[in-house]
Amino acid sequence: EAQVTQNPRYLITVTGKKLTVTCSQNMNHEYMSWYRQDPGLGLRQIYYSMNVEVTDKGDVPEGYKVSRKEKRNFPLILESPSPNQTSLYFCASSLRASGNTIYFGEGSWLTVV
Amino acid sequence: GESVGLHLPTLSVQEGDNSIINCAYSNSASDYFIWYKQESGKGPQFIIDIRSNMDKRQGQRVTVLLNKTVKHLSLQIAATQPGDSAVYFCAVGGTSYGKLTFGQGTILTVHP
């Protein structure tokens, strides 16, 4: 079954404590992306990756890092989380950057206190 | 930059009616447009997409219309069912390869 899997699904953490949200896809997709979803702001792209070792900033990259060392995984790293990073995060993947169906994970609820 | 807007934040329809959800975009260089459905507690689900070289595309009970002249696209859902109740997002891409900009979403409520 085609899947995009995120972990953790729910996390409460404290300001400044580094955390990583993992994302894995089993479809051999080249393109992966991270979004955050906030009330009234919709989905905003944080970072995306066209392929292994190729990443680029989306619209709201500040405070986040990503890596793409292998095709299936695209972790989102918050080096020093702050309360304004409290949000619902989605990972997504597709075969290519455009023109293909984009599959989303189930989302990760992150609260920074 | 790209901005994407929706004309109505909420839409209520009766079961069996046709629904139309609208979306406006700002960058005329955009060339890829997608509609997503998001149910409560779930990730967005792809519905249908269209490229800028087309002005209409049909799927199962859904049709996307693209008007590049006024930078507007719409999603039409035929014979709307209670299971169609969700938030619908348009997304626009193509101005920068790999970047996708989402609209804020329209809440569709279908009454039995």
Side-chain angles (χ1 to χ4, degrees):
Chain A
E1 181 189 353
Q3 276 190 325
V4 179
T5 304
Q6 301 178 221
N7 277 296
R9 293 289 316 281
Y10 305 92
L11 180 64
I12 300 174
T13 190
V14 297
T15 298
K17 185 177 180 181
K18 180 180 178 179
L19 70 93
T20 299
V21 186
T22 63
C23 175
S24 180
Q25 49 92 5
N26 63 358
M27 297 165 279
N28 202 35
H29 284 171
E30 290 184 354
Y31 178 82
M32 297 185 75
S33 184
W34 275 103
Y35 299 85
R36 60 179 289 175
Q37 186 173 30
D38 302 290
L41 296 175
L43 282 148
R44 293 180 293 167
Q45 193 172 36
I46 304 171
Y47 268 95
Y48 60 96
S49 170
M50 306 288 239
N51 214 324
V52 176
E53 301 291 1
V54 181
T55 63
D56 211 342
K57 296 177 180 178
D59 293 318
V60 289
E62 294 78 18
Y64 304 95
K65 285 174 57 177
V66 292
S67 69
R68 189 89 183 274
K69 291 185 170 55
E70 47 191 342
K71 204 170 191 178
R72 65 180 293 124
N73 296 322
F74 189 46
L76 178 70
I77 303 157
L78 286 74
E79 292 273 4
S80 183
S82 61
N84 65 11
Q85 292 178 297
T86 293
S87 188
L88 174 59
Y89 291 86
F90 286 102
C91 180
S93 76
S94 68
L95 187 59
R96 303 274 190 274
S98 70
N100 301 105
T101 302
I102 298 177
Y103 296 85
F104 281 82
E106 290 296 298
S108 295
W109 286 95
L110 174 63
T111 301
V112 184
V113 298
Chain B
E2 181 64 71
S3 68
V4 182
L6 290 162
H7 295 304
L8 294 173
T10 61
L11 177 63
S12 292
V13 300
Q14 290 296 126
E15 182 176 1
D17 287 353
N18 296 332
S19 302
I20 300 175
I21 302 170
N22 297 302
C23 183
Y25 62 97
S26 61
N27 195 325
S28 57
S30 301
D31 68 356
Y32 181 52
F33 308 88
I34 318 165
W35 281 100
Y36 287 92
K37 171 186 180 184
Q38 187 176 22
E39 297 174 291
S40 181
K42 295 185 177 181
Q45 178 185 7
F46 174 92
I47 302 173
I48 191 168
D49 61 358
I50 188 169
R51 288 214 166 268
S52 59
N53 61 351
M54 302 172 69
D55 54 21
K56 180 180 180 179
R57 190 170 188 210
Q58 287 183 292
Q60 187 176 10
R61 284 201 305 119
V62 294
T63 300
V64 56
L65 298 177
L66 176 64
N67 186 329
K68 295 181 287 294
T69 303
V70 296
K71 297 195 281 290
H72 178 272
L73 70 156
S74 66
L75 176 71
Q76 300 179 0
I77 305 173
T80 316
Q81 303 166 0
D84 294 327
S85 293
V87 179
Y88 289 81
F89 294 94
C90 67
V92 176
T95 56
S96 178
Y97 199 60
K99 288 193 72 174
L100 203 61
T101 301
F102 281 77
Q104 292 182 357
T106 292
I107 301 170
L108 174 65
T109 304
V110 182
H111 301 283

